[in-house]
Amino acid sequence: MAGSKAAVEEIEVAGHTVRLSSPDRVIFPQRGFTKADVFHYYLSVGEGIMRALRDRPTTLQRFPEGIEGEAFFQKRVPARGVPPWVATAEISFPSGRKAAELCPADLAHVAWAAQMGTVVFHPWPVRAADVDRPDELRIDLDPQPGTDFTHAVTAAGELRGLLDELGVTGWPKTSGGRGVHVYLRIQPRWTFVEVRRATIALARELERRRPELVTTAWWKEERGSRVFVDFNQMARDRTIACAYSLRANGRATVSTPVEWAELPDVEPDDFHLGSVPARFAERGDPHAGIDDSPWDITPLLEWAERDAAAGQGDMPYPPEYPKMPGEPKRVQPSKDRDRPRA
């Protein structure tokens, strides 16, 4: 019987035995993909997803009954009922609270999470060796109403030119939706606050060059039909679905690394649970070299100082954050009584 609790398989993964229960439970009803399909998908892209997850504290987006059922984000590994080999890392939230999150040391950790109903993996941009200093700067190009994936691709092309000027390699991937993500591997020397400032400076420079295409406006009412560079994805405890993670939509899309040359010709729906394993087997991982040359973000921090001197300081943090030093008012512009009127 589909979804039967009695159906259990034991599978060897990275030297550990991982149980797969209810393998026939349907996780993606529109496509008919089951829990076993999800489990074996992650094994098929193991090298790629471990490049994205290894030693990173990771929040799990779980759908125990499938993507049309109840979902939740798991930020703490339970104290009981967990295999003894499961590794964790302690992270601190903006509130000051702490949690021991899953920290994948090998592919068995990914398989165990899939067994627990995980569909989407959300790693922090840090490693367990130093959970307060990011080694990954993430640029999230998010199309706003009136724009689509093609606009995000155009913005990514502009960003690539800017990164070339800086002498740093960007690593693009589809978001699994309408957006594009570009990652930079950086030296783990700076705090979350500093890396976020660097991201804002990069986003502002991109906006200056293509103001009709790109916006850094935090408030939706000011963005217009442009691609928003979501700088707050670099704030502490904000995460992005990693490379090779499935996305929780009816199409079962995958956030997929691509080559810069192919980015203008792809469509997000090209990459899904059924198609990515063959692509990975044939072409390997376009992000295979991402760890080779960590970058010094000093040029971006210098841009941030330049912008601050010109009156462009910090930007608002997400609403759940405590008020941060130097942060402007968190008031929607149309509701700000103190805002100068034209």
Side-chain angles (χ1 to χ4, degrees):
M1 179 182 297
S4 170
K5 293 183 179 180
V8 177
E9 301 176 22
E10 291 190 344
I11 301 168
E12 290 295 313
V13 183
H16 302 289
T17 300
V18 181
R19 298 175 74 253
L20 173 60
S21 62
S22 304
D24 296 330
R25 177 176 294 145
V26 176
I27 303 299
F28 291 94
Q30 291 184 35
R31 301 296 301 274
F33 293 135
T34 65
K35 185 177 179 181
D37 292 327
V38 171
F39 186 98
H40 289 288
Y41 162 76
Y42 280 121
L43 298 188
S44 74
V45 295
E47 179 185 350
I49 197 164
M50 283 308 302
R51 184 170 288 113
L53 291 179
R54 189 180 302 278
D55 297 330
R56 296 191 185 280
T58 301
T59 300
L60 308 177
Q61 190 176 1
R62 293 175 56 188
F63 296 81
E65 302 301 323
I67 64 164
E68 295 182 358
E70 183 178 354
F72 63 95
F73 287 88
Q74 182 171 322
K75 297 188 176 185
R76 292 175 171 81
V77 171
R80 298 179 179 178
V82 175
W85 45 263
V86 168
T88 63
E90 186 176 79
I91 46 87
S92 297
F93 301 115
S95 65
R97 294 181 298 108
K98 297 180 183 296
E101 282 206 331
L102 182 72
C103 191
D106 55 38
L107 190 56
H109 289 69
V110 178
W112 173 79
Q115 151 62 17
M116 299 295 289
T118 300
V119 171
V120 190
F121 290 85
H122 294 267
W124 283 47
V126 300
R127 307 276 188 176
D130 191 342
V131 296
D132 294 316
R133 296 184 184 275
D135 74 330
E136 193 165 72
L137 190 155
R138 301 167 174 177
I139 302 121
D140 181 6
L141 301 172
D142 183 11
Q144 300 302 291
T147 63
D148 56 23
F149 181 72
T150 60
H151 296 90
V153 168
T154 301
E158 296 291 335
L159 174 64
R160 185 190 185 190
L162 182 53
L163 296 177
D164 286 345
E165 293 176 23
L166 289 165
V168 58
T169 300
W171 303 87
K173 66 183 180 72
T174 65
S175 69
R178 300 189 311 135
V180 174
H181 301 154
V182 180
Y183 284 9
L184 310 182
R185 185 67 79 244
I186 65 174
Q187 298 169 8
R189 295 165 46 194
W190 297 274
T191 65
F192 274 97
V193 170
E194 291 169 319
V195 177
R196 178 178 172 275
R197 285 183 64 220
T199 306
I200 291 171
L202 181 61
R204 281 174 167 158
E205 184 63 26
L206 186 62
E207 182 181 33
R208 289 186 193 101
R209 298 187 181 199
R210 292 296 304 271
E212 83 292 351
L213 174 66
V214 173
T215 180
T216 60
W218 175 247
W219 302 104
K220 291 183 179 180
E221 64 186 33
E222 296 186 322
R223 294 177 188 170
S225 296
R226 292 179 288 179
V227 176
F228 172 51
V229 185
D230 190 354
F231 53 85
N232 269 331
Q233 293 292 7
M234 283 309 307
R236 180 185 289 273
D237 193 33
R238 293 294 284 254
T239 57
I240 299 176
C242 73
Y244 297 104
S245 176
L246 291 161
R247 302 309 306 270
N249 57 49
R251 305 178 307 284
T253 59
V254 173
S255 183
T256 305
V258 295
E259 301 282 354
W260 280 110
E262 67 176 323
L263 181 59
D265 299 319
V266 303
E267 293 290 340
D269 287 356
D270 293 342
F271 307 120
H272 54 78
L273 187 155
S275 66
V276 170
R279 170 185 165 89
F280 189 86
E282 178 183 350
R283 303 181 56 168
D285 182 9
H287 283 192
I290 193 171
D291 293 314
D292 292 349
S293 301
W295 187 55
D296 179 342
I297 66 170
T298 297
L300 297 184
L301 294 175
E302 292 173 348
W303 285 4
E305 293 298 326
R306 174 202 65 188
D307 291 346
Q312 287 188 304
D314 203 355
M315 300 279 270
Y317 274 77
E320 69 271 17
Y321 277 65
K323 184 69 174 179
M324 300 294 286
E327 181 189 0
K329 293 168 65 177
R330 288 187 206 170
V331 180
Q332 190 174 330
S334 61
K335 297 181 180 179
D336 185 358
R337 296 180 180 180
D338 298 328
R339 185 182 177 90
R341 305 297 177 186

